[in-house]
Amino acid sequence: MSSRQPLQPRLRPLRSTPIVFGVILAAALVPVFLAFRVIEPERALFAHAVAILAAILTITVGARVALWSVNGRGCRRPASG
């Protein structure tokens, strides 16, 4: 075992973080629930594929917006070294 200290967070989480997470999650689930309303099998399969893609994109964009609102600079890779 190594005697290293545990990693420390870069920023303290904001109090609004759970609210932002909830809004992003709800927005991502809307297309998935709407896909269940399609009746025809071929179109339903396509609707589910599009809904999953929309959910992934919604979560990705929501995470980037949330990070941008915290540090004002958007997502950046950590400095190496």
Side-chain angles (χ1 to χ4, degrees), residues 5-74:
Q5 295 294 326
L7 295 175
Q8 299 297 319
R10 294 185 186 178
L11 300 170
R12 292 187 66 192
L14 299 176
R15 291 183 184 194
S16 63
T17 301
I19 296 169
V20 171
F21 176 73
V23 168
I24 292 169
L25 186 62
L29 288 177
V30 167
V32 175
F33 289 133
L34 289 176
F36 280 101
R37 297 185 52 91
V38 179
I39 297 172
E40 297 177 27
E42 294 85 12
R43 291 183 182 188
L45 182 62
F46 182 70
H48 281 280
V50 170
I52 295 297
L53 178 63
I56 292 170
L57 291 175
T58 302
I59 291 172
T60 302
V61 170
R64 289 184 183 219
V65 168
L67 286 175
W68 182 79
S69 68
V70 170
N71 61 13
R73 293 184 301 270

